[in-house]
Amino acid sequence: MTVLRSRLDTASPQFAAGREAMLAKLAEIGAEHEKALAGGGPGYVDRHRSRGKLLARERIELLLDPDSPFLELSPLAAWGSDYPVGASVVTGVGVVEGTECVVVANDPTVRGGATNPWSGKKTLRALEIAEQNRMPLINLVESGGADLPSQKEIFIPGGRLFRDLTRFSAAGIPTLALVFGNSTAGGAYVPGMCDHVVMIRERSKVFLGGPPLVKVATGEESDDESLGGAEMHARVSGLADHLAEDEHDAIRIGRRIVARLNRRKAGPAPAAVAEPAYDAEELLGVVPSDLKSPFDPREVITRVVDGSDLDEFKPGYGTSLVTGWARLHGYPVGLLANAQGVLFSEESQKAAQFIQLANRADTPLVFLHNTTGYMVGRDYEQGGIIKHGSMMINAVSNSRVPHLSVLLGASYGAGHYGMCGRAYDPRFLFAWPSARSAVMGAEQLAGVLSIVARESAAAKGRDYSEEEDAAMREMVRNQIEAESLPLFLSGRVYDDGVIDPRDTRTVLGFCLSAVHNAPVRGTDGFGVFRT
Amino acid sequence: MRVVRDLAGLAGETEAARSEAAAAFGDPTVFCERYVEQGRHIEVQVLADNHGTMWAVGDRDCSIQRRHQKIIEEAPAPGIGAAARERLHDAARRLAGALGYSGAGTVEFLLDADGTFSFLEMNTRLQVEHPVTECVTGLDLVEWQLRIAEGAALPDEPPAARGHAIEARIYAEDPERDWRPQSGDIAAFDVPDRVAEHTNPAGYGVRVDSGVEPGTAVGTDYDPMLAKVIAWGRDRPDAARRLAAALAGARLHGPGSNRDLLVRVLRHPAFVAGGVHTGFLAEHWADGLARPLAAGPAERLSALAAALAEAAGNRERAPVLSSLPPGWRNLPSQPQYKRYRTARGEELEVGYRTTRAGPVPATGEDVRVHRVRPDEVHLEVDGVRRTFAVARYSGPLTCVDSALGAVALTPLPRFADPEAYVAPGSVLAPMPGTVARVAAASGDRVRAGQALMWLEAMKMEHPITAPAAGVVTEVAARAGQRVDSGAVLAVVEEEN
């Protein structure tokens, strides 16, 4: 047992300022979360309820085991777009009959649950999580189909949904569709492609073409019930496996189906859990209000891992990256956390070695980001920073143990890649409200553009307007700053959500349990390391 | 029974009673007795050997009765002067002596408010309430019965009484619903205050005489008495206090009981003042004697404790993510709700939200949650930290015990069992029993409250009535058929 002692001065002005800044950002994020929770707003919610229907989140609550936790994913999807925050679908990981499942529930109060481009991205991300972690997928379907004005963004990529469903089935990942309402046209293939289908008497409506379309196409007179009613599908077409009396009954049947799946987790079970020795509440003040000031990630680690117990690896070498072994909610993990922002050759080599060791020991890795990227400059280039950075990226890319990433602060440039950014397929990636992610910092990017423009003007023999330069820099800085923010990145589904720092341990514990549904096995098949 | 207050009415009333008796029993014989309005049931314990020694081993008051059955008995009888006591004892001794009685017996009297007493009957056996006499005398009456039969001789004088003893009979019955018998399995029976069982305590304290234990099935074929709890104290207030506390603190899980009524009687000012008589329950009924100790807010708090304990239990047993906080959400949208049905049939919904500081009530209860374990919850209520012990049984049944009173809750499932579906208008058996007779047939038009059949249970006939005016569409039970609680007996289709 190696307890990591905290040196955080919670009485200092820096701590107070950091905490205040964090709370302000949390309030801002919270307001956006409220929008997602509000769905289509009071009017549509009332109308939905007046039809005797449950809201998407109420359906999920009933589906989950009583008192079990639920990790909602991508709640900020579509933020900053023309579509409502949340993207008219609720996705997440929850426990049904003791089995961790991925749930995808259309929110019919938002434009009838129609799928827009962001709903598509969010849904496919949830499917990816189900696939990578081998968790059953439960679809709670009630959608008016594609949002037709944006069909050009949906039609072609959206087809992947149906392909994924049947591939999951082939891969032994069970798929369920509980159909609460409309699931027509393309949407009809969701039940069509799922292993288990439950429909609700006088509620579910599943057909390729409704009465008007049938009339136009063939002249046949028909009605909803004969074309796609639950009773018809349960007794005539055979598309429905179960006929439920009402929404509650459908959810009850869905739970019974999962109970009979006989799922066994493929990864090892967790060991006994010990709470950290330090209060998670103090995580609010760990990150300084200005990201330019570095902070010691050990202050985060000691408030996140079991018993605040960390065995550091190479503590005296490559000190701007902390690496070490710990347990989190009983699961062994290797942690990589940026300490001074910059990654040098030593840090890169240390990371590459550490990742190889984790693969030998089948130990999942957690990346805590606060990096401005790999060091630049003559000495560093000549010292092989590209070679060494590549080693780290090679190791991260080919590692086969599960990776979890949390952006605490900066996550810029190739440093974002080396620390297992989104493109490197971490099983889950979350951001703190204090995070920033971009090719480089807004200030630096504006500065680089300014120098390039100035040189270009000089080369062409033109005058360079300092006034215009200042305006340009200001504009670029604002744009890049805005596009580096977690709200923006989360809106584009580049992460799985923005979390409260105090929830970090719970979220990571949840994710570690989820990843253990799939086998946890490392590799020795790395790319060629240029040493 | 007819009461005649004016002598002029005697002849007419007697004739009416005779014809009633003739119609009901085929025998017109009736007894005329003096009517004692606020009488007390006083009895004298006698013990006689075969060598001519006849003891009056003290007296007992057994006036607190329901349906002419004793529920609280005490020794010695309170508020009786030495002269009256001596007259009672003397009468008892003389009666038993005249009979040449041997062994233990009881001579029962009815004591009028004016001090006169009348002989009721003699019980030639040991009685249910004998432990109160044992406590105050230190005698073992059972042992003495056996010794007398073996020819032993009693000492000349009985031992002097010391202190005061009160016995309460715990019955599986519902005082609020006409003493309806309650049945089911005993899940827990424990009186933590007890210092002796089936035997006299060495000093002042609580004795428990019971034949039930966890697992005992309480049926409807026998008298529903579960246990006798006896408190022996230095004086009457001390004994009453000890008994009330022991009963209130008892863990009695399973069938409903009259425990709360007993506690309310023992704590009632009239009882404490010694104002016992056979009409005590009727006189003070309006004070809410039958109300559960934990009613209203206390019941809600108990339900909240049950929900929190259940959540903690669910987490502990969870096969995955068991170390995460109960009901954790990164985006909380609604509380975790649980529904319970109380013993009175009311539904309670309680909920909690998970916060970083732990669970907080979400259904309006103004309490702070301190500690939550699957079997114990600490809630701060009005600045007082209270412990709620929560026991969950299959059945399902959740029993919550606290200083506020005991609450029995049936956890309601989130989903209706499709097999348990009953047609609207179904009339269900309120308790297990045997259908005595059936008065309705399919197709009958019935009034609301009209008896459709009678169910015999605990030697009583309970009418099964139509819940609303309508037409009987089904009669699902026939006379002589045994039915379980909840069985569909008939279906009445309501008329609009």
Side-chain angles (χ1 to χ4, degrees):
Chain A
M1 180 112 185
T2 320
V3 174
L4 200 48
R5 299 235 172 273
S6 174
R7 287 174 180 80
L8 191 64
D9 180 4
T10 54
S12 69
Q14 293 92 314
F15 180 88
R19 184 171 182 277
E20 199 176 314
M22 184 63 85
L23 285 171
K25 289 185 188 113
L26 278 171
E28 188 189 355
I29 302 281
E32 298 305 317
H33 280 160
E34 284 304 320
K35 290 182 192 169
L37 290 170
Y44 287 101
V45 166
D46 290 348
R47 198 171 78 174
H48 185 74
R49 282 226 174 91
S50 72
R51 292 171 179 161
K53 291 176 162 218
L54 296 166
L55 301 177
R57 281 182 182 76
E58 291 170 344
R59 289 170 182 165
I60 293 174
E61 292 289 346
L62 271 175
L63 177 70
L64 301 176
D65 290 353
D67 311 300
S68 66
F70 180 66
L71 178 63
E72 188 167 331
L73 299 165
S74 321
L76 298 170
W79 184 91
S81 76
D82 295 338
Y83 300 94
V85 174
S88 75
V89 61
V90 183
T91 64
V93 184
V95 186
V96 179
E97 294 285 354
T99 298
E100 286 148 319
C101 298
V102 170
V103 183
V104 174
N106 301 116
D107 185 346
T109 66
V110 184
R111 303 184 189 179
T115 302
N116 61 55
W118 298 107
S119 339
K121 278 201 172 59
K122 178 169 170 175
T123 303
L124 289 174
R125 171 61 187 153
L127 262 58
E128 194 172 72
I129 288 170
E131 182 185 28
Q132 290 175 349
N133 303 294
R134 299 194 58 81
M135 291 185 279
L137 176 73
I138 306 175
N139 294 284
L140 308 182
V141 187
E142 182 169 16
S143 166
D147 174 64
L148 291 177
S150 58
Q151 68 82 27
K152 67 179 189 300
E153 316 262 6
I154 303 164
F155 171 60
I156 290 171
R160 193 182 158 140
L161 171 65
F162 314 119
R163 184 206 70 157
D164 276 0
L165 288 175
T166 184
R167 284 194 175 176
F168 285 13
S169 182
I173 298 169
T175 50
L176 285 74
L178 314 184
V179 186
F180 289 87
N182 283 330
S183 182
T184 55
Y189 287 103
V190 173
M193 291 296 171
C194 280
D195 293 347
H196 304 273
V197 177
V198 182
M199 293 194 197
I200 304 170
R201 197 187 296 278
E202 291 166 14
R203 285 289 165 90
S204 310
K205 206 194 293 180
V206 184
F207 43 61
L208 293 181
L213 191 127
V214 169
K215 172 83 173 155
V216 172
T218 67
E220 186 188 6
E221 293 285 351
S222 55
D223 58 65
D224 283 355
E225 197 55 35
S226 64
L227 288 175
E231 188 116 19
M232 185 285 283
H233 281 307
R235 300 191 198 283
V236 183
S237 80
L239 178 61
D241 305 313
H242 303 271
L243 180 62
E245 291 300 323
D246 54 25
E247 294 205 6
H248 280 74
D249 197 34
I251 294 167
R252 181 189 65 80
I253 294 169
R255 288 178 53 81
R256 292 313 304 155
I257 293 169
V258 176
R260 298 292 186 192
L261 292 175
N262 300 323
R263 296 297 285 180
R264 300 272 182 285
K265 294 180 78 162
V273 176
E275 290 300 309
Y278 297 96
D279 191 354
E281 203 59 32
E282 293 164 357
L283 288 171
L284 289 175
V286 167
V287 182
S289 49
D290 181 357
L291 275 186
K292 279 188 197 130
S293 323
F295 63 90
D296 188 348
R298 291 177 191 83
E299 297 296 350
V300 176
I301 294 169
T302 195
R303 287 167 179 81
V304 166
V305 301
D306 286 4
S308 300
D309 183 0
L310 178 78
D311 284 307
E312 266 199 59
F313 169 76
K314 273 189 157 82
Y317 182 86
T319 53
S320 97
L321 182 76
V322 176
T323 53
W325 310 106
R327 283 186 184 274
L328 212 161
H329 277 284
Y331 292 102
V333 287
L335 292 125
L336 297 94
N338 306 111
Q340 297 295 326
V342 188
L343 290 162
F344 300 91
S345 288
E346 290 85 347
E347 282 75 13
S348 307
Q349 289 172 301
K350 177 176 167 178
Q353 187 189 355
F354 187 71
I355 292 167
Q356 290 178 73
L357 290 172
N359 275 269
R360 283 291 158 84
D362 299 331
T363 302
L365 290 169
V366 175
F367 297 81
L368 303 176
H369 297 226
N370 183 28
T371 178
T372 50
Y374 292 97
M375 192 62 195
V376 294
R378 189 179 51 224
D379 288 353
Y380 303 102
E381 300 285 7
Q382 291 183 0
I385 185 73
I386 298 174
K387 273 191 347 186
H388 298 131
S390 298
M391 284 176 73
M392 182 172 168
I393 295 171
N394 175 348
V396 165
S397 305
N398 291 299
S399 163
R400 286 289 166 266
V401 293
H403 295 174
L404 307 175
S405 272
V406 183
L407 278 58
L408 310 179
S411 188
Y412 289 125
H416 175 70
Y417 303 157
M419 290 295 287
C420 200
R422 180 56 187 266
Y424 288 75
D425 282 341
R427 298 286 183 88
F428 290 93
L429 184 148
F430 291 94
W432 282 14
S434 45
R436 298 283 184 282
S437 192
V439 66
M440 63 181 82
E443 191 69 50
Q444 291 80 350
L445 200 144
V448 168
L449 284 184
S450 164
I451 290 164
V452 172
R454 196 184 298 271
E455 282 172 354
S456 165
K460 291 171 185 156
R462 294 205 200 113
D463 287 340
Y464 191 69
S465 157
E466 289 301 331
E467 205 173 295
E468 279 174 28
D469 179 75
M472 182 275 288
R473 284 168 67 152
E474 174 71 12
M475 193 194 74
V476 169
R477 200 165 45 230
N478 287 344
Q479 183 203 329
I480 300 303
E481 175 68 15
E483 291 174 359
S484 317
L485 290 172
L487 268 177
F488 177 83
L489 297 169
S490 210
R492 301 179 78 82
V493 200
Y494 281 151
D495 60 33
D496 295 315
V498 182
I499 59 168
D500 189 308
R502 295 168 288 187
D503 288 341
T504 308
R505 172 175 164 79
T506 306
V507 170
L508 287 175
F510 204 126
C511 295
L512 282 166
S513 181
V515 303
H516 280 73
N517 281 283
V520 175
R521 211 161 294 136
T523 180
D524 53 8
F526 292 94
V528 173
F529 288 109
R530 194 185 301 272
T531 51
Chain B
M1 196 167 88
R2 282 165 182 259
V3 179
V4 180
R5 295 181 191 281
D6 185 352
L7 206 56
L10 180 62
E13 291 290 318
T14 307
E15 205 37 56
R18 284 175 61 82
S19 65
E20 265 175 28
F25 313 111
D27 179 357
T29 309
V30 296
F31 294 94
C32 290
E33 287 181 320
R34 202 160 73 85
Y35 180 61
V36 179
E37 199 103 33
Q38 282 215 333
R40 289 175 58 185
H41 178 110
I42 308 279
E43 59 190 31
V44 178
Q45 175 74 52
V46 295
L47 194 60
D49 64 14
N50 297 317
H51 307 285
T53 305
M54 170 67 63
W55 284 358
V57 199
D59 44 75
R60 298 186 283 258
D61 182 298
C62 311
S63 301
I64 307 288
Q65 301 182 353
R66 61 112 178 92
R67 293 197 153 161
H68 310 295
Q69 268 209 327
K70 305 160 187 173
I71 54 172
I72 293 177
E73 303 106 330
E74 55 184 307
I80 294 177
R85 171 159 284 129
E86 188 42 45
R87 281 198 293 136
L88 282 164
H89 288 201
D90 185 52
R93 267 192 305 261
R94 281 193 288 132
L95 180 102
L99 296 171
Y101 193 75
S102 150
T106 302
V107 184
E108 299 189 338
F109 298 98
L110 191 60
L111 182 69
D112 204 345
D114 62 9
T116 59
F117 58 88
S118 324
F119 169 70
L120 277 179
E121 61 174 341
M122 176 165 181
N123 283 305
T124 55
R125 55 177 164 80
L126 209 58
Q127 279 182 293
V128 171
E129 58 271 24
H130 74 275
V132 289
T133 302
E134 292 192 333
C135 280
V136 294
T137 59
L139 292 170
D140 184 332
L141 293 174
V142 178
E143 184 190 356
W144 268 111
Q145 277 189 304
L146 296 172
R147 288 180 62 188
I148 289 168
E150 286 174 349
L154 287 165
D156 290 343
E157 291 298 322
R162 192 161 65 95
H164 196 95
I166 308 178
E167 172 183 280
R169 300 188 190 183
I170 300 178
Y171 280 99
E173 64 187 14
D174 185 351
E176 267 197 308
R177 283 190 286 179
D178 202 23
W179 312 101
R180 187 179 281 183
Q182 305 292 297
S183 59
D185 290 351
I186 302 278
F189 181 87
D190 185 24
V191 183
D193 286 356
R194 76 181 181 289
V195 294
E197 280 180 74
H198 295 286
T199 181
N200 271 341
Y204 297 139
V206 173
R207 162 178 172 176
V208 176
D209 288 15
S210 169
V212 300
E213 56 184 12
T216 303
V218 176
T220 53
D221 295 333
Y222 301 101
D223 181 85
M225 188 166 78
L226 303 180
K228 303 181 287 181
V229 181
I230 306 102
W232 179 31
R234 65 179 173 277
D235 52 25
R236 188 170 184 271
D238 185 38
R241 222 169 12 241
R242 282 174 191 268
L243 184 55
L247 289 169
R251 289 170 70 240
L252 251 173
H253 301 165
S257 80
N258 64 340
R259 177 255 304 267
D260 288 6
L261 170 110
L262 295 172
V263 174
R264 285 193 185 275
V265 170
L266 290 165
R267 289 177 176 164
H268 194 279
F271 180 87
V272 174
V276 289
H277 60 84
T278 52
F280 185 93
L281 293 186
E283 185 186 349
H284 301 292
W285 196 255
D287 296 345
L289 290 179
R291 252 184 340 125
L293 291 173
E299 200 168 52
R300 269 209 84 78
L301 290 180
S302 300
L304 176 68
L308 292 170
E310 188 182 329
N314 281 342
R315 296 315 303 141
E316 218 171 79
R317 282 195 309 277
V320 295
L321 296 169
S322 62
S323 55
L324 264 62
W328 179 85
R329 303 283 181 269
N330 52 335
L331 251 72
S333 63
Q334 56 186 296
Q336 294 281 315
Y337 289 113
K338 297 194 191 301
R339 288 185 309 127
Y340 297 95
R341 193 169 48 236
T342 69
R344 297 161 127 188
E346 290 161 16
E347 278 190 21
L348 286 178
E349 185 176 62
V350 285
Y352 72 89
R353 280 176 210 285
T354 294
T355 69
R356 288 185 190 84
V360 295
T363 32
E365 300 83 2
D366 185 19
V367 294
R368 280 185 60 198
V369 181
H370 280 288
R371 175 185 196 168
V372 179
R373 288 199 323 212
D375 58 353
E376 192 177 286
V377 174
H378 291 190
L379 300 178
E380 191 181 309
V381 188
D382 298 329
V384 180
R385 193 162 158 163
R386 294 196 181 278
T387 302
F388 295 79
V390 182
R392 293 191 304 282
Y393 303 101
S394 58
L397 174 71
T398 300
C399 295
V400 185
D401 292 299
S402 74
L404 301 175
V407 174
L409 301 163
T410 306
L412 297 174
R414 287 201 291 177
F415 302 103
D417 177 357
E419 293 293 318
Y421 176 81
V422 292
S426 295
V427 181
L428 310 181
M431 68 189 91
T434 306
V435 177
R437 53 210 155 94
V438 178
S442 195
D444 283 2
R445 192 169 296 275
V446 290
R447 287 172 286 107
Q450 184 178 334
L452 305 174
M453 61 184 74
W454 282 264
L455 190 65
E456 191 185 307
M458 306 298 305
K459 300 169 198 142
M460 284 174 53
E461 283 194 359
H462 305 269
I464 304 299
T465 58
V471 175
V472 178
T473 55
E474 190 187 344
V475 176
R478 53 186 165 64
Q481 187 181 337
R482 271 202 66 85
V483 293
D484 278 332
S485 181
V488 176
L489 300 178
V491 180
V492 176
E493 198 170 289
E494 203 175 330
E495 276 184 337
N496 294 323

